[in-house]
Amino acid sequence: MDKIIVNGGNPLYGEVEIGGAKNAVLPIMTASILTPGIYTLNRVPNLRDTRTMANLLEIIGAKVTYEKGTMVIDSNSCNNPTAPYDLVKTMRASFYVLGPFMGRFQHAEVSLPGGCAWGPRPVDLHLKAIEALGGTVSLESGNIVADGQLKGADISFDISSVGATGNALMASAKADGISTISIASKEPEITSLAEFLIKMGADITGLDSDKLTVVGNPNLKGDFEFDIIPDRIEAGTFLIAVALCGGEVTLTNVNPNHLNIVLSKLSEVGVKLDIGEDTITVKAPKKINSVNITTAPYPGFPTDLQAQWMAMMSKCDGSAVIIDEIYRDRFTHIAELSRLGANITLEDNVAVVTGVNKLKGAPVMSTDIRASASLILSSLAAEEKSEISRVYHIDRGYENIEEKFRNLGADMYRISK
Ligand code: EPZ
């Protein structure tokens, strides 16, 4: 198992190129199943999760090649609408095959995803969408088995769900008739998935709103190229890193419009921002003002930056309140941040972070993708040496993170056990 070693205390200077968005490319990869074709995806990050999804596509019968950021998926020979437990349990996004399986095969056998480090991750809304479209759904030995020729219908979610919206879009794209999806997720990654489906010939309107309308089209076409949008969470992670560690860094290949609330909150922290069309230059503040956050569906503050924000607030001037309304248990990083000297109390889904003058390096353990990111940020700001174990979590969502930070002046390297 690899470990990342950090000798903290260096400010960050230079330029970093942000990769393609993990949470955009994963549903787009499964959407390629919907109709036979050859799909060329540009700016695909080389992540543990994209490799896992490529494996799953190959189990389904697709051919996948990946070289220098370009992935080519040939879905003509897909013939096996199943997603096995041993794969789904390692990556919940595997559940995104459900909609495409129904659209192409009118049948699906998809393992129920397990929980994750911070608790249960239900899929009831995904199943509600399939049933609303006329599919039959049953649970057999831990697998969701679904059948039926889907027909257009009105789907109304109780809460905004990124994954359920994605599956509903893919399932309704080829259904007979018109579908509406209310309380739809407005995340940029879902808008990008809709744009991919539209390029296939899907008729989808209402993009960027919480009500989508889909006119089913049985004759979707493949054989085209598509650029993956920049990863707003990776960008947010680097912006917060500079605010916490000091220095001045320019991020390239970013879409500032996907980061409005994060940039506004960072300005309250005291950073200086110079925002270009696809670049952001961030200059660290002299002191970190305490700024509260409450996570919410897009365009609210992203839960995927909650742990990183907590790391930054651990050195704030005062104390900050951090509330996670999306995942009320997403706080496994608190115990590890405390090992680095952070002063954090938690009651239900409300954390109070009281700033300390210094963090001190220690051995710490990753528990999930974004918790790992918060440990890396804190160890970069801590004095002395930190050792971060179970870094396979960070590799799921960040490509070459130690190289990117080293190029900015961090003393950070990986040891392979
Ligand atoms: C996506 O997960 C992201 N993953 C997550 O990012 C992200 O944290 C999450 O959206 C919220 O923004 C991918 O896109 C691959 P949800 P998803 O359905 O789709 C509840 C990362 O670090 N819910 O929007 O699984 C759920 O429990 C990952 O990159 C139901 O109750 O999230 C949660 O409280 C971690 N029933 C809320 O909705 C359902 O059927 C939002 O979850 C589905 C969800």
Side-chain angles (χ1 to χ4, degrees):
M1 296 239 255
D2 290 4
K3 288 186 176 181
I4 285 183
I5 310 296
V6 178
N7 292 301
N10 298 0
L12 302 172
Y13 287 96
E15 188 170 292
V16 60
E17 181 177 343
I18 300 302
K22 167 176 83 76
N23 293 346
V25 68
L26 293 175
I28 284 171
M29 288 174 74
T30 59
S32 68
I33 300 167
L34 202 49
T35 198
I38 295 179
Y39 302 89
T40 301
L41 307 180
N42 300 316
R43 283 195 178 278
V44 174
N46 185 3
L47 304 171
R48 189 183 172 90
D49 276 10
T50 48
R51 296 191 292 272
T52 300
M53 187 62 89
N55 291 343
L56 176 55
L57 290 181
E58 287 171 341
I59 289 170
I60 296 162
K63 296 186 187 68
V64 184
T65 59
Y66 178 76
E67 195 174 348
K68 295 197 184 68
T70 296
M71 178 179 280
V72 179
I73 301 170
D74 178 347
S75 70
N76 285 295
S77 43
C78 286
N79 60 3
N80 175 24
T82 63
Y85 178 55
D86 62 351
L87 209 146
V88 174
K89 72 182 177 190
T90 67
M91 184 182 66
R92 171 185 167 79
S94 313
F95 210 69
Y96 270 132
V97 296
L98 178 63
F101 280 174
M102 294 305 287
R104 176 147 173 200
F105 302 106
Q106 294 76 51
H107 177 73
E109 285 177 43
V110 186
S111 169
L112 260 187
C116 70
W118 67 79
R121 300 281 297 276
V123 290
D124 56 307
L125 299 177
H126 299 243
L127 305 182
K128 176 178 181 176
I130 299 299
E131 289 177 321
L133 294 166
T136 58
V137 172
S138 62
L139 179 63
E140 290 162 34
S141 327
N143 288 322
I144 291 298
V145 178
D147 284 289
Q149 171 56 54
L150 301 184
K151 296 195 175 6
D154 294 332
I155 301 163
S156 182
F157 291 130
D158 316 328
I159 55 169
S160 159
S161 158
V162 174
T165 304
N167 259 325
L169 272 173
M170 295 187 279
S172 57
K174 286 176 85 171
D176 300 335
I178 297 175
S179 299
T180 60
I181 304 170
S182 303
I183 321 287
S185 152
K186 296 188 274 190
E187 265 70 0
E189 295 76 23
I190 292 301
T191 298
S192 186
L193 169 64
E195 287 165 349
F196 182 80
L197 294 170
I198 288 167
K199 205 158 184 181
M200 269 186 176
D203 177 348
I204 302 171
T205 51
L207 266 56
D208 289 326
S209 83
D210 65 358
K211 179 158 185 179
L212 299 168
T213 301
V214 184
V215 180
N217 171 7
N219 307 310
L220 300 181
K221 294 269 177 290
D223 305 336
F224 56 83
E225 278 202 42
F226 193 83
D227 292 347
I228 301 303
I229 60 171
D231 192 318
R232 63 191 168 101
I233 304 302
E234 184 189 18
T237 302
F238 276 94
L239 292 169
I240 294 169
V242 175
L244 174 59
C245 300
E248 182 170 350
V249 170
T250 294
L251 280 63
T252 60
N253 186 44
V254 291
N255 183 336
N257 299 323
H258 293 163
L259 284 157
N260 287 334
I261 191 157
V262 177
L263 296 173
S264 155
K265 287 281 184 182
L266 280 168
S267 299
E268 288 179 49
V269 167
V271 307
K272 292 278 168 291
L273 292 166
D274 180 5
I275 297 170
E277 196 169 312
D278 60 356
T279 62
I280 299 174
T281 298
V282 55
K283 188 171 173 11
K286 296 242 178 315
K287 69 177 177 68
I288 296 169
N289 299 326
S290 60
V291 176
N292 302 339
I293 58 159
T294 299
T295 67
Y298 190 87
F301 194 93
T303 175
D304 289 351
L305 286 176
Q306 178 259 99
Q308 298 92 315
W309 195 267
M310 188 178 287
M312 175 172 62
M313 286 298 117
S314 63
K315 284 199 74 181
C316 77
D317 180 27
S319 66
V321 177
I322 293 177
I323 303 173
D324 202 322
E325 291 289 4
I326 304 286
Y327 296 112
R328 300 175 65 85
D329 305 320
R330 191 178 194 170
F331 293 103
T332 51
H333 40 285
I334 289 179
E336 299 301 312
L337 291 174
S338 304
R339 287 177 51 77
L340 296 167
N343 178 357
I344 307 167
T345 59
L346 176 67
E347 200 166 315
D348 194 12
N349 65 327
V350 180
V352 177
V353 188
T354 302
V356 295
N357 287 330
K358 64 171 70 133
L359 297 169
K360 292 194 74 175
V364 286
M365 183 179 79
S366 299
T367 51
D368 69 80
I369 304 178
R370 309 305 172 181
S372 316
S374 75
L375 296 179
I376 284 188
L377 267 53
S378 292
S379 57
L380 285 168
E383 297 181 343
E384 296 157 21
K385 177 179 169 183
S386 295
E387 196 174 279
I388 301 160
S389 60
R390 301 193 181 183
V391 291
Y392 57 84
H393 288 291
I394 195 93
D395 294 335
R396 289 191 50 194
Y398 292 88
E399 183 177 0
N400 295 335
I401 193 160
E402 70 272 20
E403 191 182 322
K404 288 187 175 181
F405 272 116
R406 228 184 358 255
N407 290 341
L408 296 175
D411 179 349
M412 180 177 179
Y413 56 94
R414 178 183 297 245
I415 52 174
S416 298
K417 284 283 179 203

